[in-house]
Amino acid sequence: MTQSTTGTAAAQPLPSPKERRRLREAKSLSEEQVAAAVGVTRATVRSWETGRTSPRGRKREAYARLIGTADATSASAPTSAPPAPPQPPVDAPVESPTGAPVAPPTESLAEPPTESLAETPAGSCGEAHAEPSAEAPTSSPTSSTASPAEAFDALYRHTAAALFRQTYLLTGRRNLSREAVGKAFDLAWQRWPEVAVDRDPVGWVRAAAYEHAMSPWRLMRPEHRRADPPPEAPGPRALLDALLTLPPAYRRTLLLHDGVGLGLPETAAETEASTPAAAGRLMTARAAVAEKLPELATATAPAEQAALLHEHLGALALAQPATSLPVPELIRTGSERKAQLWTRAAIAFTVLLIGLTLITLATAPRKYETPQSPAQKVGGVPALGGPQKLTPQDRKLQKKLGGELVHGPARLVPRVG
């Protein structure tokens, strides 16, 4: 049999979920418009852009043509730069900390400094994005020329320290940050085939670590209820207090945009919010932090505030040592051991379930018989039952009737006289 060309076209790789959303917003398409054009629901489009599912078959081709990636994937190398991310509309409502809509910023948000926080002299709380490059394919931590273990170890050494410092800025707890980084890389090794082909493996691990660290259930554990002692310097202490007083969504948006250096569409995609909502959270978070930091209050332009926050967040993050993180070999062996344990537990449970089912089939009755009801004592019946004792008159009548004819109507005719 010959291979179908349709299956070959459907196997063309799509960009990462965050890139899909950025391309859709660059074309000024809403989720409803994409859903109507492809023939799916809005929830399905949202799951495609968050990475939960991926389109298949003809819907994959239609979705690729709609967002403009069908031609890009067939080319050997990109020939033009991606379109600039759109800014949020001025009249779009944004979200406030209390949930009420507030007026959006009248001035467009400027991008933070283009240099990576890892290269900033003041400090580092971000990481260099591991985007695949056609000019230098071996520079990515997840290069296809290395084995899976080597690629994972390179990604861990490239990201773990900066990710630990970022998570500390979100939680203020070193033990929780260390645990979140370990869980994120543990999950990444379990799903390494998915992470290895992702266009932004660093963002994949970062999102997993943030979700684990900011889960409210983690703070219910006794070892994570109390925050670590704050820094002794007044400036870093005020900045950390201002961050921890923000709602989790606002804190994460501020760190991703002004700390890590993501653009506004990428920040909105990673926080699973709309671009206007992310812009409103960013402006509200900046205003709340500026109330406790006089240096930020003097900067009126968003670009100046972003640069100052970039510098202060980097300095605060670098003050946290990341020497206690485990080695990548320990992460891999622990993940494999855990996977083996869960596999054995699943097999044992399946065997137990099959055994109980066989025992039930062997001991179950073949035919249903209605059980007899238990005997009960009946009340209201006289003590003496049955025929009573005959009186002399009854005996005389009985004797008289017995001596007469048994058959015939004469017995039934009453005697006169």
Side-chain angles (χ1 to χ4, degrees):
M1 297 177 63
T2 59
Q3 187 177 4
S4 174
T5 57
T6 305
T8 305
Q12 292 180 355
L14 288 175
S16 63
K18 292 187 293 185
E19 183 68 13
R20 299 171 195 171
R21 176 171 179 167
R22 190 191 66 79
L23 291 173
R24 176 180 61 80
E25 293 181 349
K27 292 181 175 293
S28 301
L29 295 175
S30 63
E31 295 178 352
E32 293 83 356
Q33 294 174 345
V34 175
V38 181
V40 294
T41 61
R42 178 184 178 185
T44 303
V45 176
R46 180 169 297 179
S47 65
W48 292 348
E49 295 181 354
T50 55
R52 297 187 182 95
T53 59
S54 295
R56 296 180 180 179
R58 297 181 178 178
K59 295 180 180 179
R60 184 188 185 98
E61 299 177 6
Y63 181 67
R65 289 194 301 268
L66 191 62
I67 63 177
T69 60
D71 298 334
T73 54
S74 60
S76 59
T79 58
S80 61
Q87 297 296 336
V90 177
D91 55 347
V94 296
E95 185 179 347
S96 66
T98 58
V102 298
T106 56
E107 188 173 355
S108 61
L109 295 175
E111 294 293 331
T114 56
E115 65 272 7
S116 172
L117 286 178
E119 303 172 357
T120 305
S124 171
C125 71
E127 72 282 344
H129 296 283
E131 295 288 347
S133 175
E135 292 79 4
T138 59
S139 62
S140 174
T142 58
S143 177
S144 58
T145 59
S147 63
E150 293 175 353
F152 176 83
D153 295 349
L155 177 64
Y156 183 87
R157 296 188 182 95
H158 178 76
T159 313
L163 189 57
F164 167 77
R165 297 185 177 100
Q166 296 172 27
T167 313
Y168 173 76
L169 297 181
L170 288 176
T171 60
R173 295 166 174 82
R174 297 179 181 86
N175 292 334
L176 180 58
S177 303
R178 190 178 302 107
E179 176 185 325
V181 172
K183 292 293 184 180
F185 280 98
D186 186 355
L187 184 62
W189 180 245
Q190 293 178 12
R191 303 181 182 179
W192 186 247
E194 173 187 348
V195 180
V197 299
D198 194 276
R199 295 189 62 182
D200 187 11
V202 177
W204 196 100
V205 180
R206 179 179 60 236
Y210 285 7
E211 291 293 338
H212 181 89
M214 302 187 70
S215 175
W217 301 105
R218 311 298 176 191
L219 301 181
M220 298 180 63
R221 298 169 56 182
E223 61 270 20
H224 299 326
R225 289 180 181 176
R226 294 184 179 180
D228 295 347
E232 297 180 357
R237 177 184 298 180
L239 177 59
L240 185 60
D241 292 342
L243 288 176
L244 297 181
T245 54
L246 292 174
Y250 292 75
R251 194 186 322 158
R252 184 175 180 179
T253 303
L254 181 66
L255 179 62
L256 288 174
H257 191 275
D258 291 344
V260 179
L262 297 183
L264 191 58
E266 289 79 8
T267 302
E270 188 159 332
T271 56
E272 296 185 358
S274 62
T275 305
R281 292 176 182 178
L282 181 62
M283 296 299 295
T284 305
R286 284 177 179 174
V289 174
E291 292 180 357
K292 297 186 178 181
L293 293 179
E295 300 179 6
L296 293 179
T298 57
T300 57
E304 297 179 5
Q305 291 184 350
L308 289 175
L309 277 174
H310 184 85
E311 180 181 355
H312 284 77
L313 290 174
L316 178 60
L318 263 191
Q320 308 304 320
T323 56
S324 58
L325 293 175
V327 294
E329 291 80 5
L330 185 60
I331 297 291
R332 287 191 285 103
T333 54
S335 178
E336 294 171 357
R337 192 182 306 112
K338 186 184 302 182
Q340 293 177 358
L341 179 62
W342 280 106
T343 303
R344 293 173 182 174
I347 294 175
F349 178 78
T350 304
V351 172
L352 178 62
L353 185 62
I354 294 175
L356 292 177
T357 304
L358 294 177
I359 293 175
T360 303
L361 292 176
T363 57
R366 304 300 180 186
K367 182 180 179 182
Y368 178 77
E369 298 179 358
T370 305
Q372 296 181 358
S373 59
Q376 296 181 359
K377 185 177 180 180
V378 180
V381 179
L384 297 177
Q388 302 294 330
K389 191 175 182 180
L390 297 177
T391 61
Q393 295 179 357
D394 294 337
R395 288 196 185 94
K396 184 178 179 181
L397 180 61
Q398 182 181 13
K399 184 178 180 181
K400 181 180 178 180
L401 293 175
E404 295 181 355
L405 296 175
V406 179
H407 302 285
R411 185 175 183 179
L412 302 178
V413 176
R415 183 176 295 176
V416 181

